[in-house]
Amino acid sequence: DAGVIQSPRHEVTEMGQEVTLRCKPISGHDYLFWYRQTMMRGLELLIYFNNNVPIDDSGMPEDRFSAKMPNASFSTLKIQPSEPRDSAVYFCASRGDRVRNSGANVLTFGAGSRLTVL
Amino acid sequence: GQSLEQPSEVTAVEGAIVQINCTYQTSGFYGLSWYQQHDGGAPTFLSYNALDGLEETGRFSSFLSRSDSYGYLLLQELQMKDSASYFCAVRISGQNFVFGPGTRLSVLP
């Protein structure tokens, strides 16, 4: 298994531009999570999906952020318009739904997308 | 709200034993996880405790006391490659994991 795949690995953009981050979860995983990591705020959960349906988006900072999961193998996180304070590493993670073993308790993270907004 | 506390930094020498503590106050509790993150890398899963007691996996062990809202990660026979940040994370609901601020471990030769 190739693990959770994220793209781009690095993105540098100017304030006001649209940014789209992409994620391919591990095949068979039913849950997908988007986290943001900064020095000041640590790892914050932005949103998570179950079977492609958004379940909890209370961590999404504001309307400039949106996330979609059109199918089981693809999700996007979009920021429009981007601002310098959005600069962070954005991680996608997935996990299975096998509640009778440890798989349900293990988050597998992608390598992250480092976003810099100038 | 959710609150997890960890020491910000720990330093130890190769071959030593180090313990990283985590205390938590959360609205729910299903279990306590530990993740390792090297600089520039992704968090990787180390352990999960749902019940009180000690779980051992090679050089790493994790402990949980639900009554004390406390857990720790124990790293034995430290190696240089163990230099990383370590995060505790509480599973507060069926699907939601809240992460602590992280502890940066430096292993000296």
Side-chain angles (χ1 to χ4, degrees):
Chain A
D1 195 327
V4 177
I5 299 173
Q6 292 187 245
S7 65
R9 289 295 312 278
H10 302 275
E11 174 91 4
V12 180
T13 190
E14 293 187 345
M15 183 173 64
Q17 296 298 305
E18 178 179 293
V19 173
T20 299
L21 308 177
R22 299 172 179 80
C23 176
K24 176 177 168 37
I26 291 174
S27 177
H29 278 191
D30 297 326
Y31 289 89
L32 183 141
F33 303 78
W34 282 100
Y35 282 87
R36 177 172 69 176
Q37 186 175 38
T38 61
M39 288 296 292
M40 290 297 294
R41 300 176 67 90
L43 266 166
E44 303 173 276
L45 177 65
L46 300 178
I47 184 172
Y48 77 87
F49 296 82
N50 177 214
N51 291 323
N52 315 337
V53 176
I55 302 300
D56 184 354
D57 64 354
S58 59
M60 296 285 261
E62 48 197 275
D63 292 345
R64 297 185 297 107
F65 286 68
S66 62
K68 294 182 180 180
M69 192 165 185
N71 57 63
S73 60
F74 184 66
S75 176
T76 60
L77 178 68
K78 186 174 293 187
I79 308 172
Q80 167 62 21
S82 59
E83 296 182 2
R85 59 184 167 142
D86 302 330
S87 297
V89 180
Y90 291 82
F91 287 103
C92 174
S94 69
R95 58 154 269 232
D97 191 21
R98 297 182 294 275
V99 297
R100 293 189 181 277
N101 65 32
S102 64
N105 302 313
V106 179
L107 291 177
T108 301
F109 285 80
S113 294
R114 181 175 293 276
L115 173 64
T116 302
V117 183
L118 303 175
Chain B
Q2 322 295 344
S3 173
L4 284 79
E5 292 188 5
Q6 305 178 234
S8 58
E9 293 183 18
V10 174
T11 301
V13 296
E14 266 188 304
I17 299 173
V18 72
Q19 178 174 313
I20 300 174
N21 299 322
C22 174
T23 57
Y24 58 87
Q25 285 186 308
T26 55
S27 57
F29 183 86
Y30 282 61
L32 182 70
S33 299
W34 289 92
Y35 286 79
Q36 179 192 60
Q37 185 179 29
H38 286 99
D39 286 347
T44 56
F45 174 82
L46 292 176
S47 66
Y48 179 79
N49 294 62
L51 303 175
D52 287 358
L54 189 68
E55 298 272 349
E56 298 182 50
T57 308
R59 295 188 296 115
F60 294 2
S61 302
S62 56
F63 172 83
L64 174 65
S65 170
R66 295 180 66 145
S67 60
D68 295 323
S69 298
Y70 164 75
Y72 66 72
L73 179 69
L74 190 73
L75 298 87
Q76 303 183 71
E77 301 173 17
L78 280 175
Q79 302 175 8
M80 297 295 289
K81 66 179 182 179
D82 297 329
S83 292
S85 292
Y86 293 84
F87 296 86
C88 60
V90 170
R91 186 177 175 185
I92 62 171
S93 70
Q95 280 66 239
N96 201 347
F97 295 78
V98 177
F99 282 77
T103 298
R104 188 172 185 87
L105 171 64
S106 298
V107 181
L108 305 177

PDB file of all heavy atoms in Angstrom, chain A residues 31 33 35 37 43 45 48 56 91 95 104-107 109-111, chain B residues 33 35 37 40-43 45 48 87 91 93-97 99:
ATOM      1  N   TYR A  31     -12.663   6.607   6.893  1.00  0.00           N
ATOM      2  CA  TYR A  31     -12.605   7.934   7.496  1.00  0.00           C
ATOM      3  C   TYR A  31     -11.413   8.706   6.931  1.00  0.00           C
ATOM      4  O   TYR A  31     -10.309   8.161   6.821  1.00  0.00           O
ATOM      5  CB  TYR A  31     -12.468   7.849   9.018  1.00  0.00           C
ATOM      6  CG  TYR A  31     -13.715   7.382   9.717  1.00  0.00           C
ATOM      7  CD1 TYR A  31     -13.954   6.024   9.925  1.00  0.00           C
ATOM      8  CD2 TYR A  31     -14.667   8.300  10.158  1.00  0.00           C
ATOM      9  CE1 TYR A  31     -15.099   5.586  10.550  1.00  0.00           C
ATOM     10  CE2 TYR A  31     -15.816   7.869  10.797  1.00  0.00           C
ATOM     11  CZ  TYR A  31     -16.029   6.516  10.981  1.00  0.00           C
ATOM     12  OH  TYR A  31     -17.175   6.088  11.604  1.00  0.00           O
ATOM     13  N   PHE A  33      -9.466  12.566   7.403  1.00  0.00           N
ATOM     14  CA  PHE A  33      -9.329  13.742   8.259  1.00  0.00           C
ATOM     15  C   PHE A  33      -8.388  14.755   7.601  1.00  0.00           C
ATOM     16  O   PHE A  33      -7.390  14.373   6.990  1.00  0.00           O
ATOM     17  CB  PHE A  33      -8.727  13.355   9.622  1.00  0.00           C
ATOM     18  CG  PHE A  33      -9.488  12.306  10.380  1.00  0.00           C
ATOM     19  CD1 PHE A  33      -9.377  10.964  10.036  1.00  0.00           C
ATOM     20  CD2 PHE A  33     -10.311  12.653  11.441  1.00  0.00           C
ATOM     21  CE1 PHE A  33     -10.072   9.974  10.741  1.00  0.00           C
ATOM     22  CE2 PHE A  33     -11.004  11.685  12.150  1.00  0.00           C
ATOM     23  CZ  PHE A  33     -10.890  10.352  11.798  1.00  0.00           C
ATOM     24  N   TYR A  35      -6.017  17.869   8.890  1.00  0.00           N
ATOM     25  CA  TYR A  35      -5.431  18.573  10.021  1.00  0.00           C
ATOM     26  C   TYR A  35      -4.548  19.705   9.510  1.00  0.00           C
ATOM     27  O   TYR A  35      -4.001  19.644   8.401  1.00  0.00           O
ATOM     28  CB  TYR A  35      -4.550  17.634  10.862  1.00  0.00           C
ATOM     29  CG  TYR A  35      -5.282  16.690  11.784  1.00  0.00           C
ATOM     30  CD1 TYR A  35      -5.721  15.460  11.324  1.00  0.00           C
ATOM     31  CD2 TYR A  35      -5.534  17.032  13.107  1.00  0.00           C
ATOM     32  CE1 TYR A  35      -6.378  14.581  12.172  1.00  0.00           C
ATOM     33  CE2 TYR A  35      -6.197  16.155  13.963  1.00  0.00           C
ATOM     34  CZ  TYR A  35      -6.621  14.931  13.485  1.00  0.00           C
ATOM     35  OH  TYR A  35      -7.283  14.061  14.326  1.00  0.00           O
ATOM     36  N   GLN A  37      -1.191  22.046  10.901  1.00  0.00           N
ATOM     37  CA  GLN A  37      -0.179  22.129  11.952  1.00  0.00           C
ATOM     38  C   GLN A  37       0.602  23.430  11.852  1.00  0.00           C
ATOM     39  O   GLN A  37       1.156  23.750  10.796  1.00  0.00           O
ATOM     40  CB  GLN A  37       0.789  20.944  11.876  1.00  0.00           C
ATOM     41  CG  GLN A  37       1.788  20.901  13.039  1.00  0.00           C
ATOM     42  CD  GLN A  37       2.657  19.660  13.017  1.00  0.00           C
ATOM     43  OE1 GLN A  37       3.076  19.185  11.967  1.00  0.00           O
ATOM     44  NE2 GLN A  37       2.925  19.104  14.205  1.00  0.00           N
ATOM     45  N   LEU A  43      -1.387  20.721  16.168  1.00  0.00           N
ATOM     46  CA  LEU A  43      -2.181  19.958  15.210  1.00  0.00           C
ATOM     47  C   LEU A  43      -3.663  20.188  15.495  1.00  0.00           C
ATOM     48  O   LEU A  43      -4.173  19.806  16.537  1.00  0.00           O
ATOM     49  CB  LEU A  43      -1.876  18.469  15.342  1.00  0.00           C
ATOM     50  CG  LEU A  43      -0.819  17.869  14.438  1.00  0.00           C
ATOM     51  CD1 LEU A  43      -0.405  16.501  14.937  1.00  0.00           C
ATOM     52  CD2 LEU A  43      -1.293  17.784  13.007  1.00  0.00           C
ATOM     53  N   LEU A  45      -7.650  19.695  14.118  1.00  0.00           N
ATOM     54  CA  LEU A  45      -8.558  19.024  13.197  1.00  0.00           C
ATOM     55  C   LEU A  45      -9.433  20.062  12.513  1.00  0.00           C
ATOM     56  O   LEU A  45     -10.086  20.870  13.170  1.00  0.00           O
ATOM     57  CB  LEU A  45      -9.438  18.021  13.952  1.00  0.00           C
ATOM     58  CG  LEU A  45     -10.487  17.302  13.113  1.00  0.00           C
ATOM     59  CD1 LEU A  45      -9.837  16.409  12.068  1.00  0.00           C
ATOM     60  CD2 LEU A  45     -11.420  16.478  14.009  1.00  0.00           C
ATOM     61  N   TYR A  48     -13.600  16.182   9.106  1.00  0.00           N
ATOM     62  CA  TYR A  48     -13.429  14.780   8.763  1.00  0.00           C
ATOM     63  C   TYR A  48     -14.659  14.242   8.047  1.00  0.00           C
ATOM     64  O   TYR A  48     -15.768  14.757   8.200  1.00  0.00           O
ATOM     65  CB  TYR A  48     -13.033  13.922   9.969  1.00  0.00           C
ATOM     66  CG  TYR A  48     -14.123  13.569  10.950  1.00  0.00           C
ATOM     67  CD1 TYR A  48     -14.926  12.446  10.766  1.00  0.00           C
ATOM     68  CD2 TYR A  48     -14.311  14.321  12.097  1.00  0.00           C
ATOM     69  CE1 TYR A  48     -15.898  12.100  11.694  1.00  0.00           C
ATOM     70  CE2 TYR A  48     -15.277  13.983  13.029  1.00  0.00           C
ATOM     71  CZ  TYR A  48     -16.069  12.879  12.829  1.00  0.00           C
ATOM     72  OH  TYR A  48     -17.028  12.543  13.750  1.00  0.00           O
ATOM     73  N   ASP A  56     -18.012  16.413  10.555  1.00  0.00           N
ATOM     74  CA  ASP A  56     -17.751  17.492  11.505  1.00  0.00           C
ATOM     75  C   ASP A  56     -16.794  18.482  10.873  1.00  0.00           C
ATOM     76  O   ASP A  56     -15.639  18.155  10.636  1.00  0.00           O
ATOM     77  CB  ASP A  56     -17.162  16.927  12.797  1.00  0.00           C
ATOM     78  CG  ASP A  56     -16.960  17.995  13.868  1.00  0.00           C
ATOM     79  OD1 ASP A  56     -17.169  19.192  13.597  1.00  0.00           O
ATOM     80  OD2 ASP A  56     -16.585  17.621  15.005  1.00  0.00           O
ATOM     81  N   PHE A  91      -2.122  18.386   6.836  1.00  0.00           N
ATOM     82  CA  PHE A  91      -2.024  16.929   6.767  1.00  0.00           C
ATOM     83  C   PHE A  91      -3.392  16.323   6.490  1.00  0.00           C
ATOM     84  O   PHE A  91      -4.400  16.750   7.053  1.00  0.00           O
ATOM     85  CB  PHE A  91      -1.504  16.353   8.085  1.00  0.00           C
ATOM     86  CG  PHE A  91      -0.045  16.579   8.347  1.00  0.00           C
ATOM     87  CD1 PHE A  91       0.377  17.551   9.237  1.00  0.00           C
ATOM     88  CD2 PHE A  91       0.902  15.793   7.703  1.00  0.00           C
ATOM     89  CE1 PHE A  91       1.726  17.763   9.489  1.00  0.00           C
ATOM     90  CE2 PHE A  91       2.253  15.983   7.947  1.00  0.00           C
ATOM     91  CZ  PHE A  91       2.662  16.974   8.838  1.00  0.00           C
ATOM     92  N   ARG A  95      -8.241   6.455   8.391  1.00  0.00           N
ATOM     93  CA  ARG A  95      -8.266   5.304   9.273  1.00  0.00           C
ATOM     94  C   ARG A  95      -9.405   4.384   8.870  1.00  0.00           C
ATOM     95  O   ARG A  95     -10.356   4.790   8.206  1.00  0.00           O
ATOM     96  CB  ARG A  95      -8.400   5.703  10.741  1.00  0.00           C
ATOM     97  CG  ARG A  95      -9.616   6.513  11.099  1.00  0.00           C
ATOM     98  CD  ARG A  95     -10.009   6.346  12.528  1.00  0.00           C
ATOM     99  NE  ARG A  95     -10.954   5.254  12.656  1.00  0.00           N
ATOM    100  CZ  ARG A  95     -12.120   5.362  13.282  1.00  0.00           C
ATOM    101  NH1 ARG A  95     -12.472   6.484  13.865  1.00  0.00           N
ATOM    102  NH2 ARG A  95     -12.915   4.321  13.363  1.00  0.00           N
ATOM    103  N   ALA A 104      -9.018   0.801  13.974  1.00  0.00           N
ATOM    104  CA  ALA A 104      -9.899   1.946  14.132  1.00  0.00           C
ATOM    105  C   ALA A 104      -9.264   3.026  14.977  1.00  0.00           C
ATOM    106  O   ALA A 104      -9.781   4.134  15.032  1.00  0.00           O
ATOM    107  CB  ALA A 104     -11.220   1.498  14.759  1.00  0.00           C
ATOM    108  N   ASN A 105      -8.198   2.708  15.664  1.00  0.00           N
ATOM    109  CA  ASN A 105      -7.563   3.678  16.548  1.00  0.00           C
ATOM    110  C   ASN A 105      -6.283   4.249  15.966  1.00  0.00           C
ATOM    111  O   ASN A 105      -5.586   4.987  16.640  1.00  0.00           O
ATOM    112  CB  ASN A 105      -7.253   3.019  17.896  1.00  0.00           C
ATOM    113  CG  ASN A 105      -8.497   2.473  18.545  1.00  0.00           C
ATOM    114  OD1 ASN A 105      -9.500   3.162  18.611  1.00  0.00           O
ATOM    115  ND2 ASN A 105      -8.445   1.242  19.010  1.00  0.00           N
ATOM    116  N   VAL A 106      -5.973   3.893  14.758  1.00  0.00           N
ATOM    117  CA  VAL A 106      -4.716   4.306  14.145  1.00  0.00           C
ATOM    118  C   VAL A 106      -4.985   5.284  13.021  1.00  0.00           C
ATOM    119  O   VAL A 106      -5.648   4.954  12.031  1.00  0.00           O
ATOM    120  CB  VAL A 106      -3.934   3.099  13.595  1.00  0.00           C
ATOM    121  CG1 VAL A 106      -2.633   3.565  12.946  1.00  0.00           C
ATOM    122  CG2 VAL A 106      -3.665   2.089  14.698  1.00  0.00           C
ATOM    123  N   LEU A 107      -4.470   6.485  13.176  1.00  0.00           N
ATOM    124  CA  LEU A 107      -4.507   7.456  12.091  1.00  0.00           C
ATOM    125  C   LEU A 107      -3.231   7.318  11.275  1.00  0.00           C
ATOM    126  O   LEU A 107      -2.136   7.342  11.836  1.00  0.00           O
ATOM    127  CB  LEU A 107      -4.591   8.880  12.633  1.00  0.00           C
ATOM    128  CG  LEU A 107      -5.875   9.313  13.327  1.00  0.00           C
ATOM    129  CD1 LEU A 107      -5.729  10.724  13.862  1.00  0.00           C
ATOM    130  CD2 LEU A 107      -7.051   9.215  12.378  1.00  0.00           C
ATOM    131  N   PHE A 109      -1.112   9.211   8.535  1.00  0.00           N
ATOM    132  CA  PHE A 109      -0.984  10.545   7.956  1.00  0.00           C
ATOM    133  C   PHE A 109      -0.243  10.501   6.621  1.00  0.00           C
ATOM    134  O   PHE A 109       0.665   9.681   6.413  1.00  0.00           O
ATOM    135  CB  PHE A 109      -0.198  11.461   8.902  1.00  0.00           C
ATOM    136  CG  PHE A 109      -0.982  11.928  10.098  1.00  0.00           C
ATOM    137  CD1 PHE A 109      -1.150  11.104  11.201  1.00  0.00           C
ATOM    138  CD2 PHE A 109      -1.552  13.187  10.120  1.00  0.00           C
ATOM    139  CE1 PHE A 109      -1.864  11.524  12.306  1.00  0.00           C
ATOM    140  CE2 PHE A 109      -2.271  13.627  11.226  1.00  0.00           C
ATOM    141  CZ  PHE A 109      -2.434  12.796  12.315  1.00  0.00           C
ATOM    142  N   GLY A 110      -0.631  11.420   5.755  1.00  0.00           N
ATOM    143  CA  GLY A 110       0.159  11.667   4.564  1.00  0.00           C
ATOM    144  C   GLY A 110       1.373  12.507   4.916  1.00  0.00           C
ATOM    145  O   GLY A 110       1.550  12.932   6.065  1.00  0.00           O
ATOM    146  N   ALA A 111       2.213  12.747   3.921  1.00  0.00           N
ATOM    147  CA  ALA A 111       3.458  13.488   4.143  1.00  0.00           C
ATOM    148  C   ALA A 111       3.231  14.978   4.379  1.00  0.00           C
ATOM    149  O   ALA A 111       4.131  15.678   4.832  1.00  0.00           O
ATOM    150  CB  ALA A 111       4.398  13.281   2.964  1.00  0.00           C
TER     151      ALA A 111
ATOM    152  N   SER B  33      -3.537   7.909  22.567  1.00  0.00           N
ATOM    153  CA  SER B  33      -2.558   7.491  21.555  1.00  0.00           C
ATOM    154  C   SER B  33      -1.278   8.285  21.695  1.00  0.00           C
ATOM    155  O   SER B  33      -1.260   9.369  22.281  1.00  0.00           O
ATOM    156  CB  SER B  33      -3.109   7.752  20.145  1.00  0.00           C
ATOM    157  OG  SER B  33      -4.276   7.045  19.884  1.00  0.00           O
ATOM    158  N   TYR B  35       2.038   9.541  19.089  1.00  0.00           N
ATOM    159  CA  TYR B  35       2.551   9.658  17.736  1.00  0.00           C
ATOM    160  C   TYR B  35       3.951  10.264  17.789  1.00  0.00           C
ATOM    161  O   TYR B  35       4.251  11.097  18.644  1.00  0.00           O
ATOM    162  CB  TYR B  35       1.641  10.535  16.871  1.00  0.00           C
ATOM    163  CG  TYR B  35       0.361   9.858  16.462  1.00  0.00           C
ATOM    164  CD1 TYR B  35      -0.711   9.750  17.352  1.00  0.00           C
ATOM    165  CD2 TYR B  35       0.212   9.298  15.192  1.00  0.00           C
ATOM    166  CE1 TYR B  35      -1.875   9.106  16.991  1.00  0.00           C
ATOM    167  CE2 TYR B  35      -0.956   8.657  14.822  1.00  0.00           C
ATOM    168  CZ  TYR B  35      -1.987   8.562  15.727  1.00  0.00           C
ATOM    169  OH  TYR B  35      -3.151   7.916  15.369  1.00  0.00           O
ATOM    170  N   GLN B  37       6.854  12.322  15.470  1.00  0.00           N
ATOM    171  CA  GLN B  37       7.013  13.131  14.265  1.00  0.00           C
ATOM    172  C   GLN B  37       8.438  13.656  14.179  1.00  0.00           C
ATOM    173  O   GLN B  37       8.874  14.436  15.032  1.00  0.00           O
ATOM    174  CB  GLN B  37       6.029  14.303  14.247  1.00  0.00           C
ATOM    175  CG  GLN B  37       6.067  15.111  12.956  1.00  0.00           C
ATOM    176  CD  GLN B  37       5.072  16.257  12.947  1.00  0.00           C
ATOM    177  OE1 GLN B  37       4.727  16.802  13.985  1.00  0.00           O
ATOM    178  NE2 GLN B  37       4.597  16.639  11.761  1.00  0.00           N
ATOM    179  N   GLY B  40      10.027  17.818   9.653  1.00  0.00           N
ATOM    180  CA  GLY B  40       9.689  17.767   8.240  1.00  0.00           C
ATOM    181  C   GLY B  40       8.888  16.550   7.828  1.00  0.00           C
ATOM    182  O   GLY B  40       8.578  16.383   6.650  1.00  0.00           O
ATOM    183  N   GLY B  41       8.582  15.690   8.795  1.00  0.00           N
ATOM    184  CA  GLY B  41       7.856  14.465   8.468  1.00  0.00           C
ATOM    185  C   GLY B  41       6.427  14.486   8.950  1.00  0.00           C
ATOM    186  O   GLY B  41       5.933  15.492   9.466  1.00  0.00           O
ATOM    187  N   ALA B  42       5.766  13.374   8.782  1.00  0.00           N
ATOM    188  CA  ALA B  42       4.381  13.225   9.203  1.00  0.00           C
ATOM    189  C   ALA B  42       4.325  12.521  10.553  1.00  0.00           C
ATOM    190  O   ALA B  42       5.208  11.733  10.887  1.00  0.00           O
ATOM    191  CB  ALA B  42       3.606  12.420   8.169  1.00  0.00           C
ATOM    192  N   PRO B  43       3.289  12.787  11.332  1.00  0.00           N
ATOM    193  CA  PRO B  43       3.102  12.008  12.565  1.00  0.00           C
ATOM    194  C   PRO B  43       2.898  10.538  12.221  1.00  0.00           C
ATOM    195  O   PRO B  43       2.160  10.203  11.289  1.00  0.00           O
ATOM    196  CB  PRO B  43       1.832  12.606  13.170  1.00  0.00           C
ATOM    197  CG  PRO B  43       1.710  13.964  12.561  1.00  0.00           C
ATOM    198  CD  PRO B  43       2.264  13.825  11.176  1.00  0.00           C
ATOM    199  N   PHE B  45       2.039   6.661  13.999  1.00  0.00           N
ATOM    200  CA  PHE B  45       1.432   6.030  15.165  1.00  0.00           C
ATOM    201  C   PHE B  45       2.434   5.177  15.933  1.00  0.00           C
ATOM    202  O   PHE B  45       3.213   4.422  15.343  1.00  0.00           O
ATOM    203  CB  PHE B  45       0.263   5.154  14.687  1.00  0.00           C
ATOM    204  CG  PHE B  45      -0.378   4.327  15.759  1.00  0.00           C
ATOM    205  CD1 PHE B  45      -1.318   4.875  16.610  1.00  0.00           C
ATOM    206  CD2 PHE B  45      -0.042   2.991  15.911  1.00  0.00           C
ATOM    207  CE1 PHE B  45      -1.920   4.101  17.593  1.00  0.00           C
ATOM    208  CE2 PHE B  45      -0.629   2.207  16.893  1.00  0.00           C
ATOM    209  CZ  PHE B  45      -1.573   2.768  17.729  1.00  0.00           C
ATOM    210  N   TYR B  48      -1.574   2.848  21.388  1.00  0.00           N
ATOM    211  CA  TYR B  48      -2.919   3.253  21.786  1.00  0.00           C
ATOM    212  C   TYR B  48      -3.292   2.487  23.045  1.00  0.00           C
ATOM    213  O   TYR B  48      -3.172   1.260  23.078  1.00  0.00           O
ATOM    214  CB  TYR B  48      -3.922   2.956  20.672  1.00  0.00           C
ATOM    215  CG  TYR B  48      -5.354   3.327  21.008  1.00  0.00           C
ATOM    216  CD1 TYR B  48      -5.782   4.640  20.923  1.00  0.00           C
ATOM    217  CD2 TYR B  48      -6.279   2.357  21.398  1.00  0.00           C
ATOM    218  CE1 TYR B  48      -7.091   4.991  21.220  1.00  0.00           C
ATOM    219  CE2 TYR B  48      -7.586   2.693  21.700  1.00  0.00           C
ATOM    220  CZ  TYR B  48      -7.991   4.017  21.606  1.00  0.00           C
ATOM    221  OH  TYR B  48      -9.288   4.364  21.898  1.00  0.00           O
ATOM    222  N   PHE B  87       3.710  13.288  20.353  1.00  0.00           N
ATOM    223  CA  PHE B  87       2.402  13.857  20.647  1.00  0.00           C
ATOM    224  C   PHE B  87       1.519  12.813  21.303  1.00  0.00           C
ATOM    225  O   PHE B  87       1.423  11.680  20.813  1.00  0.00           O
ATOM    226  CB  PHE B  87       1.701  14.319  19.356  1.00  0.00           C
ATOM    227  CG  PHE B  87       2.400  15.438  18.640  1.00  0.00           C
ATOM    228  CD1 PHE B  87       3.415  15.175  17.739  1.00  0.00           C
ATOM    229  CD2 PHE B  87       2.030  16.754  18.873  1.00  0.00           C
ATOM    230  CE1 PHE B  87       4.056  16.203  17.069  1.00  0.00           C
ATOM    231  CE2 PHE B  87       2.663  17.797  18.204  1.00  0.00           C
ATOM    232  CZ  PHE B  87       3.683  17.521  17.311  1.00  0.00           C
ATOM    233  N   ARG B  91      -8.637  10.201  22.008  1.00  0.00           N
ATOM    234  CA  ARG B  91      -9.808   9.940  21.173  1.00  0.00           C
ATOM    235  C   ARG B  91     -11.019  10.345  22.011  1.00  0.00           C
ATOM    236  O   ARG B  91     -11.383   9.663  22.963  1.00  0.00           O
ATOM    237  CB  ARG B  91      -9.855   8.472  20.783  1.00  0.00           C
ATOM    238  CG  ARG B  91     -10.947   8.124  19.790  1.00  0.00           C
ATOM    239  CD  ARG B  91     -10.883   6.669  19.412  1.00  0.00           C
ATOM    240  NE  ARG B  91     -11.994   6.302  18.547  1.00  0.00           N
ATOM    241  CZ  ARG B  91     -12.233   5.068  18.141  1.00  0.00           C
ATOM    242  NH1 ARG B  91     -11.429   4.073  18.499  1.00  0.00           N
ATOM    243  NH2 ARG B  91     -13.254   4.810  17.371  1.00  0.00           N
ATOM    244  N   SER B  93     -14.144  10.978  20.883  1.00  0.00           N
ATOM    245  CA  SER B  93     -15.416  10.454  20.397  1.00  0.00           C
ATOM    246  C   SER B  93     -15.096   9.300  19.474  1.00  0.00           C
ATOM    247  O   SER B  93     -13.935   8.933  19.317  1.00  0.00           O
ATOM    248  CB  SER B  93     -16.212  11.533  19.672  1.00  0.00           C
ATOM    249  OG  SER B  93     -15.584  11.839  18.442  1.00  0.00           O
ATOM    250  N   GLY B  94     -16.109   8.758  18.847  1.00  0.00           N
ATOM    251  CA  GLY B  94     -15.850   7.635  17.960  1.00  0.00           C
ATOM    252  C   GLY B  94     -14.817   7.930  16.898  1.00  0.00           C
ATOM    253  O   GLY B  94     -14.042   7.071  16.515  1.00  0.00           O
ATOM    254  N   GLN B  95     -14.786   9.176  16.467  1.00  0.00           N
ATOM    255  CA  GLN B  95     -13.918   9.493  15.341  1.00  0.00           C
ATOM    256  C   GLN B  95     -12.936  10.622  15.593  1.00  0.00           C
ATOM    257  O   GLN B  95     -12.036  10.830  14.796  1.00  0.00           O
ATOM    258  CB  GLN B  95     -14.792   9.924  14.142  1.00  0.00           C
ATOM    259  CG  GLN B  95     -15.395   8.769  13.403  1.00  0.00           C
ATOM    260  CD  GLN B  95     -16.395   7.999  14.250  1.00  0.00           C
ATOM    261  OE1 GLN B  95     -16.211   6.812  14.460  1.00  0.00           O
ATOM    262  NE2 GLN B  95     -17.430   8.664  14.746  1.00  0.00           N
ATOM    263  N   ASN B  96     -13.118  11.370  16.636  1.00  0.00           N
ATOM    264  CA  ASN B  96     -12.360  12.597  16.817  1.00  0.00           C
ATOM    265  C   ASN B  96     -11.173  12.404  17.756  1.00  0.00           C
ATOM    266  O   ASN B  96     -11.323  11.952  18.879  1.00  0.00           O
ATOM    267  CB  ASN B  96     -13.281  13.697  17.356  1.00  0.00           C
ATOM    268  CG  ASN B  96     -12.743  15.075  17.089  1.00  0.00           C
ATOM    269  OD1 ASN B  96     -11.583  15.232  16.719  1.00  0.00           O
ATOM    270  ND2 ASN B  96     -13.585  16.077  17.273  1.00  0.00           N
ATOM    271  N   PHE B  97      -9.986  12.766  17.258  1.00  0.00           N
ATOM    272  CA  PHE B  97      -8.763  12.691  18.033  1.00  0.00           C
ATOM    273  C   PHE B  97      -8.253  14.108  18.267  1.00  0.00           C
ATOM    274  O   PHE B  97      -8.079  14.858  17.320  1.00  0.00           O
ATOM    275  CB  PHE B  97      -7.688  11.897  17.282  1.00  0.00           C
ATOM    276  CG  PHE B  97      -8.027  10.454  17.065  1.00  0.00           C
ATOM    277  CD1 PHE B  97      -8.907  10.064  16.060  1.00  0.00           C
ATOM    278  CD2 PHE B  97      -7.464   9.465  17.858  1.00  0.00           C
ATOM    279  CE1 PHE B  97      -9.220   8.732  15.851  1.00  0.00           C
ATOM    280  CE2 PHE B  97      -7.766   8.130  17.658  1.00  0.00           C
ATOM    281  CZ  PHE B  97      -8.644   7.763  16.660  1.00  0.00           C
ATOM    282  N   PHE B  99      -5.088  16.350  19.666  1.00  0.00           N
ATOM    283  CA  PHE B  99      -3.656  16.194  19.900  1.00  0.00           C
ATOM    284  C   PHE B  99      -3.145  17.173  20.947  1.00  0.00           C
ATOM    285  O   PHE B  99      -3.597  18.313  21.035  1.00  0.00           O
ATOM    286  CB  PHE B  99      -2.892  16.405  18.585  1.00  0.00           C
ATOM    287  CG  PHE B  99      -2.951  15.217  17.670  1.00  0.00           C
ATOM    288  CD1 PHE B  99      -4.084  14.959  16.927  1.00  0.00           C
ATOM    289  CD2 PHE B  99      -1.878  14.339  17.575  1.00  0.00           C
ATOM    290  CE1 PHE B  99      -4.153  13.851  16.089  1.00  0.00           C
ATOM    291  CE2 PHE B  99      -1.938  13.236  16.749  1.00  0.00           C
ATOM    292  CZ  PHE B  99      -3.073  12.982  16.012  1.00  0.00           C
TER     293      PHE B  99
END
